[in-house]
Amino acid sequence: MKFDPRHLEMLAAIVEAGGLTEGAAMLGKSQPSVSRSIAFLERRIGQRLFEPKRRPLRPTEIGLLLAQEGKRILEAGRAASALADGVARGVAGAVRVAGTPIFMDGVISGVIADFQGRHPNVRIDQSYAYAEEAMEKIAQDLLDLAILPLRPGTLSDEFAFCQILPGRNVIACRTDHPLAGRATLKSTDVVRYPWIAPPANSPLFHDLRAFLDRIDQREMKIGFTGGSLTAVLNVLSGSDSLTVLPFSVVFMLQRRNRIAALPVEIGDPNRHLGILTRRSAKPPMTARRFTEFTMSRFKEIEREIAAAGA
Amino acid sequence: MKFDPRHLEMLAAIVEAGGLTEGAAMLGKSQPSVSRSIAFLERRIGQRLFEPKRRPLRPTEIGLLLAQEGKRILEAGRAASALADGVARGVAGAVRVAGTPIFMDGVISGVIADFQGRHPNVRIDQSYAYAEEAMEKIAQDLLDLAILPLRPGTLSDEFAFCQILPGRNVIACRTDHPLAGRATLKSTDVVRYPWIAPPANSPLFHDLRAFLDRIDQREMKIGFTGGSLTAVLNVLSGSDSLTVLPFSVVFMLQRRNRIAALPVEIGDPNRHLGILTRRSAKPPMTARRFTEFTMSRFKEIEREIAAAGA
DNA sequence: CGAATTTCATAACATGAAGTTATATTGATT
DNA sequence: AATCAATATAACTTCATGTTATGAAATTCG
């Protein structure tokens, strides 16, 4: 005996509402429709589900038991509805976001924390990726969006890129570093100190190489390499090391971690930090929400940077 | 967004089975039917439920979440099916049975205990009633069956009566009662001792009155009245009291409770203990099961009585 | 107790989702 | 690259469910 779950739903609704008419109303159906379906069900299982000749329809023993199962079905259906509505409104579901490690850890993690505070039912699946890999994953729909530095011109039509900050990098050091506070720096100064190298394939590393090429100083002491942002910061604040970091990361961390930026700008001025998405398929509502949230958050950060610079 | 629970079932089946084809098979439906239903559902909620371009169909985030609800629906449906099957086979549900208090407590309670051991999913709703009340309730379908003493001839066509034992009553006393063991008794003997009166409106009481009328002894000392069988037995075994009890009750209890029957038979010899049911409507399977079980049990009891009498 | 009211069942018909088989398409596999 | 298996689509049928209108029965109330 296989039941149509809708029949059990009707049964539960009638029992719960205390009558066929109210039960039908609760389900948004007409009374005769429900009446016929229940009659059909009773004949199919060869059992009365409601006491005969009782006008406020009262369930029999088995009617009550089956109605309990029906109630579970009703509740599962309601849960599913709530879930689907949440997804449609962008307040439930998941967002798959990736970005360069240092930037994700230094800035985006804070944004994610804020976002989760407002949308606790949205899960953020974060991963680390550089531009090439991120674009691949976005194209394969393994990723909803990526937050990373790019030159907008270099992009294929497949992608959309929404810039949020200038992608400039700076040389970072601890606040009481011998070089900190100097108005100008000679290129020979910076190579006297040990360096923390960013990951070998990262944009930061390329920028650093380009910078050293430019000042014709190919010899640098690498004192530390391969660490995450936390490790980099610890080494940075406990030694005279220098490293190259996105300005936004230094800005966000400068108070808490006593990090300073030297007056040297590094990297392509045409490059910007931005949000990379796929242009074609319309993204899930959750991803759109997160994108909007991130952008508004960065507007605030931009203002803070401007205020601090003034 | 209101879901058709069948869609959620399909979703769950596909996810559980690991593919659309197997899922359809699990539900006993054709593959195209399920495919189309899922496609329909995806368009309705505007969300993909399965990753596109994946051949062993794999659920998306939301697909998985909705499938979990679907699983609950599937399980509720399965539970309902098991329940309905149980009821149809008479191994689940309830039986409403009534009978005279002394007889129910003394004999039927043991039968019920046996029955419940074999059918733990059948609930026995027991109540106490004499013939008149029992017939009313059976006619109103508030009762499935009654077990009580009746003269079969007096019955209307509405009822069926299946006799299980002669309905004879005896005078009961404790085994070491002064009268116990005597081969014959004079009527004056029995009125010397205090009596325990059965409930005033019970057949036992009427039989006792008829008996006393017959032996022309209208004066009897009533020492105790109004108690249940347990109380009656306690008084009986702790004093020289006499009372009238169905023979079957005395028989069942004589070993455990040291009760004896005096060689005096009381009551209408044309009356029999039997099972009273309604003839018209076909009874629920559970009631039929219980009736059959009770009758077979009484066949055994009858053999035991015969063996003990020999 | 009978009338009014509520509540459920039935009738008649329309609609459309879901069932079917046959076939095309497209990832996956070797 | 070719084959295989899994899924999607097409075309069509069927039947449960939806509708409104109405009848019947039980409950309530004056």
Side-chain angles (χ1 to χ4, degrees):
Chain A
M1 169 72 34
K2 164 72 180 150
F3 286 98
D4 185 329
R6 291 175 302 174
H7 292 158
L8 297 174
E9 274 192 348
M10 291 184 202
L11 194 55
I14 295 170
V15 170
E16 199 169 316
L20 192 148
T21 307
E22 293 95 330
M26 174 189 293
L27 294 170
K29 300 183 192 301
S30 70
Q31 170 265 319
S33 176
V34 175
S35 174
R36 178 151 44 79
S37 293
I38 291 293
F40 178 79
L41 181 60
E42 279 185 330
R43 293 184 51 189
R44 237 171 61 91
I45 69 173
Q47 301 279 341
R48 307 216 61 129
L49 297 172
F50 292 93
E51 307 280 0
K53 320 256 179 189
R54 286 320 258 284
R55 255 318 137 80
L57 223 51
R58 229 176 38 190
T60 61
E61 185 68 24
I62 178 170
L64 209 59
L65 290 170
L66 290 179
Q68 286 175 359
E69 300 304 329
K71 197 169 163 63
R72 294 179 54 192
I73 293 175
L74 266 179
E75 279 161 7
R78 284 198 260 260
S81 297
L83 225 146
D85 287 346
V87 169
R89 286 170 33 231
V91 297
V95 182
R96 298 162 301 173
V97 54
T100 52
I102 300 289
F103 185 63
M104 291 304 276
D105 285 354
V107 183
I108 300 301
S109 57
V111 176
I112 290 174
D114 279 1
F115 186 79
Q116 288 205 315
R118 306 199 189 184
H119 301 295
N121 291 321
V122 176
R123 202 188 64 232
I124 310 285
D125 288 340
Q126 190 220 275
S127 57
Y128 299 109
Y130 300 119
E132 192 185 355
E133 189 188 355
M135 289 197 281
E136 266 178 36
K137 286 190 172 175
I138 287 177
Q140 290 171 34
D141 195 30
L142 297 174
L143 210 55
D144 292 312
L145 59 106
I147 308 179
L148 29 72
L150 273 183
R151 268 179 302 181
T154 67
L155 221 55
S156 88
D157 278 355
E158 188 180 359
F159 300 101
F161 185 73
C162 190
Q163 66 188 63
I164 53 184
L165 274 186
R168 65 191 235 247
N169 299 319
V170 295
I171 295 177
C173 60
R174 61 175 174 175
T175 44
D176 50 354
H177 192 280
L179 295 181
R182 291 233 203 134
T184 60
L185 280 179
K186 282 184 289 187
S187 56
T188 51
D189 292 334
V190 296
V191 294
R192 277 218 303 276
Y193 295 96
W195 277 74
I196 302 171
N201 51 346
S202 70
L204 285 176
F205 185 73
H206 292 138
D207 285 347
L208 178 56
R209 290 294 295 265
F211 169 69
L212 293 173
D213 279 354
R214 188 149 55 81
I215 64 175
D216 211 22
Q217 296 284 357
R218 310 207 65 182
E219 290 159 29
M220 56 189 284
K221 284 175 284 185
I222 303 293
F224 179 73
T225 185
S228 69
L229 179 60
T230 308
V232 169
L233 290 177
N234 285 336
V235 174
L236 208 59
S237 58
S239 72
D240 282 344
S241 299
L242 300 174
T243 192
V244 57
L245 284 177
F247 174 72
S248 55
V249 172
V250 177
F251 179 79
M252 296 303 283
L253 299 174
Q254 61 193 355
R255 282 160 229 169
R256 268 186 303 168
N257 297 75
R258 295 183 297 162
I259 299 295
L262 300 185
V264 177
E265 296 220 351
I266 292 173
D268 187 340
N270 291 326
R271 194 178 51 198
H272 296 279
L273 272 171
I275 300 179
L276 183 72
T277 54
R278 192 156 61 150
R279 190 188 296 283
S280 60
K282 81 163 204 286
M285 195 64 198
T286 44
R288 290 222 292 271
R289 286 255 168 163
F290 182 75
T291 304
E292 284 164 19
F293 182 84
T294 304
M295 286 175 56
S296 76
R297 223 36 205 81
F298 269 96
K299 284 232 164 59
E300 290 172 35
I301 292 173
E302 206 166 15
R303 274 199 299 275
E304 288 174 35
I305 291 176
Chain B
M1 170 73 32
K2 165 73 180 150
F3 287 98
D4 186 331
R6 291 175 302 175
H7 292 158
L8 297 174
E9 274 192 348
M10 291 184 201
L11 193 55
I14 294 170
V15 170
E16 198 170 316
L20 192 148
T21 307
E22 294 94 331
M26 174 188 292
L27 294 170
K29 301 183 193 301
S30 71
Q31 171 265 320
S33 177
V34 175
S35 174
R36 180 152 45 78
S37 292
I38 291 293
F40 178 79
L41 181 59
E42 279 185 331
R43 292 183 51 190
R44 239 171 57 92
I45 69 173
Q47 301 278 343
R48 308 214 63 126
L49 297 172
F50 293 93
E51 306 280 0
K53 320 257 182 188
R54 287 320 255 289
R55 254 319 139 81
L57 224 51
R58 227 175 39 190
T60 61
E61 184 69 25
I62 179 170
L64 208 60
L65 291 170
L66 290 179
Q68 286 175 359
E69 300 303 329
K71 196 169 165 62
R72 294 179 53 192
I73 293 175
L74 266 179
E75 279 161 8
R78 285 197 259 260
S81 297
L83 223 147
D85 287 347
V87 170
R89 285 171 33 231
V91 297
V95 182
R96 297 161 301 175
V97 55
T100 52
I102 300 290
F103 185 64
M104 291 304 277
D105 285 353
V107 183
I108 300 301
S109 57
V111 176
I112 289 175
D114 280 0
F115 186 80
Q116 287 205 315
R118 306 198 190 184
H119 300 295
N121 291 321
V122 176
R123 203 188 62 233
I124 310 285
D125 288 340
Q126 190 220 273
S127 56
Y128 299 110
Y130 301 118
E132 191 185 355
E133 189 188 354
M135 289 197 279
E136 264 178 39
K137 286 192 171 173
I138 286 177
Q140 291 172 34
D141 195 30
L142 297 174
L143 210 55
D144 292 312
L145 58 105
I147 308 180
L148 29 71
L150 272 184
R151 269 179 301 181
T154 65
L155 222 54
S156 88
D157 279 354
E158 189 180 357
F159 300 102
F161 185 73
C162 190
Q163 65 188 64
I164 52 184
L165 275 186
R168 65 191 235 248
N169 299 320
V170 296
I171 295 178
C173 60
R174 60 174 174 177
T175 44
D176 51 354
H177 192 281
L179 295 182
R182 294 236 201 128
T184 59
L185 280 182
K186 282 184 288 188
S187 56
T188 51
D189 293 334
V190 296
V191 294
R192 277 217 303 276
Y193 295 96
W195 278 76
I196 301 171
N201 52 345
S202 70
L204 285 176
F205 184 73
H206 292 138
D207 286 347
L208 178 57
R209 290 294 294 265
F211 169 69
L212 293 175
D213 278 354
R214 185 148 57 81
I215 64 175
D216 209 21
Q217 294 285 357
R218 311 206 65 182
E219 290 160 27
M220 57 188 282
K221 285 175 285 183
I222 302 294
F224 180 73
T225 184
S228 68
L229 180 60
T230 307
V232 168
L233 291 176
N234 285 337
V235 174
L236 209 60
S237 58
S239 72
D240 283 344
S241 299
L242 300 175
T243 193
V244 57
L245 283 177
F247 173 71
S248 54
V249 172
V250 176
F251 179 80
M252 296 302 284
L253 298 173
Q254 60 192 356
R255 283 161 229 168
R256 268 186 303 167
N257 297 77
R258 295 184 296 161
I259 299 296
L262 300 185
V264 178
E265 296 220 351
I266 291 173
D268 187 340
N270 290 326
R271 195 179 50 198
H272 296 279
L273 273 171
I275 299 179
L276 182 71
T277 54
R278 191 157 61 151
R279 191 188 296 281
S280 59
K282 82 163 204 287
M285 195 64 197
T286 44
R288 290 222 292 271
R289 286 255 167 162
F290 181 75
T291 304
E292 285 165 19
F293 181 85
T294 303
M295 285 176 54
S296 76
R297 224 33 207 83
F298 269 95
K299 284 231 166 58
E300 290 172 34
I301 292 173
E302 206 166 15
R303 274 200 299 275
E304 288 173 36
I305 291 176

